[in-house]
Amino acid sequence: MTNQETIFSKIIRREIPANIVYEDDLALAFKDVNPQAPVHILVIPKKPIAKLADADAQDAALLGHLLLTAKRVAQEAGLKNGYRVVINTDADGGQTVYHLHLHILGGRQMAWPPG
Ligand code: AMP
C-alpha cells in the first residue's frame, strides 16, 4: 500500500481530536483510542510513511528519532519497570492504519509470544 491520507494525518493537522502527549518537528505522540494496556501511546512520524517496509536509508535518522521519542514518552508516562514497543507491519503484522506508528505499551506485565 502506498502513502495516502489516513486518520493519523488528520490528527497531525488537528482536524480530529487526539490526546497528544508529545510533539516536535518530526514526530507526534498521542494516546491510543482503544488501549491494550494501562499505558498505550502511539508515536508517529509527521512524514507519511505508510509502513516500516516503505522506509528507506533516507529515513534512518527519522527512525532513530522515533525510537528515542518512544523512550522519552515512556519515561514521561512513568513506566519505570519497562514497557514494550511494537510496530505492526502490513497484513500479516496486523497493521490497520497505514501511517507508520510505534505502539508503546506498559503498566502491566506483557506476555510472550504475542497473539
Ligand atoms: P495498528 O493495528 O498497528 O495499525 O494500530 C492502529 C492503532 O491506532 C490501534 O491501536 C487503534 O486503536 C489506534 N487508533 C485508531 N484510530 C485512532 C484515533 N483516532 N486516535 C487514537 N488511536 C487510534
Side-chain angles (χ1 to χ4, degrees), residues 7-8 11 16-18 30-36 40 42 88 94-98 101 103:
I7 199 157
F8 292 174
I11 289 175
I16 62 167
F30 52 91
K31 293 187 180 174
D32 197 294
V33 77
N34 182 23
Q36 302 301 312
H40 188 171
L42 302 175
N88 295 325
Q95 185 172 3
T96 59
V97 178
Y98 279 80
H101 50 282
H103 295 258

Side-chain angles (χ1 to χ4, degrees), residues 69-82:
T69 300
K71 170 193 158 180
R72 175 187 182 138
V73 166
Q75 198 168 11
E76 289 175 358
L79 298 176
K80 291 189 176 64
N81 289 332

Side-chain angles (χ1 to χ4, degrees), residues 4-16 44 46 48 97-99:
Q4 60 180 25
E5 182 72 11
T6 68
I7 199 157
F8 292 174
S9 313
K10 293 186 169 67
I11 289 175
I12 292 168
R13 294 197 303 266
R14 307 297 204 277
E15 289 173 9
I16 62 167
I44 69 171
K46 289 187 173 175
V97 178
Y98 279 80
H99 183 124

Side-chain angles (χ1 to χ4, degrees), residues 50-111:
K51 58 184 186 289
L52 184 60
D54 291 344
D56 61 27
Q58 287 187 330
D59 299 312
L62 176 60
L63 295 174
H65 181 71
L66 295 175
L67 275 179
L68 289 173
T69 300
K71 170 193 158 180
R72 175 187 182 138
V73 166
Q75 198 168 11
E76 289 175 358
L79 298 176
K80 291 189 176 64
N81 289 332
Y83 50 90
R84 182 168 290 173
V85 179
V86 173
I87 301 176
N88 295 325
T89 305
D90 222 339
D92 278 4
Q95 185 172 3
T96 59
V97 178
Y98 279 80
H99 183 124
L100 175 64
H101 50 282
L102 286 65
H103 295 258
I104 303 167
L105 295 150
R108 66 168 170 82
Q109 178 64 58
M110 295 296 149

